[in-house]
Amino acid sequence: MKERLTVFFLSLFLAVSFAPGLALAEPADGLSAAGAAGALKGQGLEQQAVKAPKVKLTRVTTGSLAVKVGASYKLGAKTSAGTLTFKSSNKKVAVVSSKGVVKAKKAGKVTITVTAKYGSKKTVKKVPLRVFLARKYKAVKKLRAKASATSLAQGATAKVKVSFLPLKPSNKNVVYKSSNPEVLTVSATGKVKALKMGKAKVTVTSCDNAKVKASVTIKVKSSPLLNRSKWKARMSLPTFKQMSTYKAPERSPYLVCWPQFGKTTGYTEYAVDFKADSQPRGTYVNIGNWWMDTSSLKKRYKYVATDDGDVPGGMYAGFQVLEDGRKVAIMSAWKIFLVDKNGNESVLNVKRTYPKKPSIAGDFDGEGTGIKTLVDYDWQAGKTYRALIQCGTTKKGNCEVTFKVCDLETGKWTKLVSYDLGYGDTSMTNLGCFLENYLYGYATEVRTAEWSNYRVKPVGKDSWVSAKSAKMERQFQEWPGSYNYGSSGSCFWAVTSGVPNLCKPPKDGKLFYVTKAAQGDPTK
């Protein structure tokens, strides 16, 4: 690490040239979120090692089993950790192998015990088994699958029900499988969950006879778009066929809005109202991407930078929809790498002061390394909220940055995240907002954002300054698709989709104006 930093700062000394620009938010997918959340709860490797293992029997979905004399049946046993053992309560009726294969010997009832052992913990699952004489065993001849709904919105669920011929076969166990688990998943009991726009076939296979199958096709619709007529006038909306069949880029266009506050260069508080009329997974409506003034650090250190050479003191905040459908608020800050006059290297990282137990927390990288904190916040499509960023002072004299949000319908303010920056004598600068699709695989869907009532409180002032104009542009040209942006009434708006050729956008960096912007203290 030391050698890497030495090389970095040497190169920085030879050519230091920082240009402000918005930083890309890191993905917050469900997998990394789960890992981070587990770490917060103290579930380290040693503690995980003594957790009781889970047992899953993929071919015993009804909880009981029936076979005919002379037949063999594989339980399909799996464990989350450790080893599995099997035992028959009556070996004269049925025996079971070390691999979980049951062999029926004579008519009767028996219990198969499956034990998973991991360290000092174990889990036991008992399977009631009935062995039929061949002439009394009712084999499955046909299946029929029917879904409670064949068209679902993202996040919705349905149930696939199965009927048999004969109506009451001896073995009713079946296995469900989705042809595209990225579009929808199906549980062992037939519960379907819609994840991503597209189509998928759920196939049901009889455990009694693998040749007997049935299937049903389910369509997953795109995330609902409110105020369609308004957005249709701004950009042609892609059809379901275009969104589900077009080979989309990794992400859809990334749009930025830079509010103009005149000669104001530093501020201690910032507020903006925001709204999204659509919320597909992977949506990030950013309410603020800014830099903290690091002049006080530059007086004490020879070099002050992020580890990839970007502007130090970078922070951002906003609202996301995760891959599992959860809605969260996020605030992040880049680590600052320092070298003093004697050549000693150190890393300055922010310290989270609120909340103590966030939904997700941890480091991020990609454009420099830093810390992120996510908290659950159910922000709704079509609803306007007010975000507020405030700079305070800790007892040690450091700057504490706090992120709050207000539900404008109820007037309720919620404190979301606070960071102790580890240094003082600073303020916010160079502020912008963005609309981003940060998860791969969700690029074609329509995303919208509206920002209004931009306000900042300049350093040393009691009054607030409003912004009635903003520069808007597209960044990261490698993500193709369609987009548009502009202003209307009191808001600046943006709309994107990974499907190409839906409209002709304005020139990047164009200045847009609003007819009005709220004045004064945003908390009153």
Side-chain angles (χ1 to χ4, degrees), residues 32-45 47-48 352 358-362:
S32 62
L40 282 173
K41 295 177 181 178
Q43 296 174 352
L45 292 177
Q47 289 167 302
Q48 288 182 7
R352 186 181 65 253
S359 305
I360 304 168

Side-chain angles (χ1 to χ4, degrees), residues 286-346:
N286 176 271
I287 59 86
N289 192 133
W290 68 92
W291 287 269
M292 301 304 300
D293 181 0
T294 55
S295 299
S296 61
L297 290 175
K298 292 177 180 178
K299 291 178 182 178
R300 296 156 49 195
Y301 293 91
K302 188 175 181 179
Y303 298 116
V304 180
T306 61
D307 62 345
D308 74 338
D310 205 349
V311 179
M315 297 186 71
Y316 61 81
F319 296 83
Q320 295 182 340
V321 182
L322 306 185
E323 192 161 19
D324 61 7
R326 281 188 301 162
K327 297 175 183 177
V328 298
I330 179 172
M331 186 161 76
S332 299
W334 271 257
K335 296 179 181 180
I336 301 177
F337 290 77
L338 306 168
V339 177
D340 65 18
K341 295 179 181 179
N342 297 320
N344 298 314
E345 301 166 358
S346 60

